[in-house]
Amino acid sequence: MATELIAYTREQKKQLAPTLAFIDPFGWSGVPLALISDLLSFEKCEVLFNFMFDSVNRFVADDRPGIAQHFAELFGTDQAEHHAAAALSGDRRKHFSETCT
């Protein structure tokens, strides 16, 4: 729904009304960083993202097809960075993003 709202607003060459978007994903797919970036590109738009680390951590090493792509979209990384994070454990995995900048 957010994707359609953004597309419509841009198509109409309008600004989004002042918005606080609360994003509470169920799982790790369907909310790519690109979507969050698009929302934040509008003036007076803020995003509150409920990030459940334990849920993400539980599945980050899942090697089923497509899982790595979902994580890459969520974090705005590539699949190689995802596999590097998945190979870590404990606090090293939790702080991995600090080393990717």
Side-chain angles (χ1 to χ4, degrees):
M1 184 167 155
T3 304
E4 292 84 9
L5 175 66
I6 292 167
Y8 178 78
T9 304
R10 288 190 173 144
E11 178 183 290
Q12 298 298 311
K13 298 185 182 348
K14 303 285 184 180
Q15 278 293 319
L16 197 60
T19 303
L20 173 61
F22 177 59
I23 300 174
D24 186 15
F26 182 77
W28 59 85
S29 64
V31 188
L33 191 58
L35 173 62
I36 298 167
S37 177
D38 284 344
L39 282 169
L40 291 172
S41 72
F42 290 98
E43 282 188 44
K44 299 180 183 175
C45 183
E46 297 182 19
V47 171
L48 176 63
F49 188 91
N50 184 25
F51 180 73
M52 304 299 286
F53 172 77
D54 289 332
S55 176
V56 169
N57 188 42
R58 186 171 354 150
F59 293 99
V60 74
D62 192 320
D63 60 358
R64 287 179 290 168
I67 301 293
Q69 181 61 37
H70 287 301
F71 280 107
E73 290 172 359
L74 174 64
F75 294 113
T77 61
D78 60 33
Q79 290 188 41
E81 289 172 312
H82 165 77
H83 289 298
L88 302 173
S89 62
D91 282 342
R92 293 183 66 212
R93 181 185 289 167
K94 189 174 186 178
H95 297 288
F96 178 77
S97 64
E98 296 170 7
T99 64
C100 287
T101 56

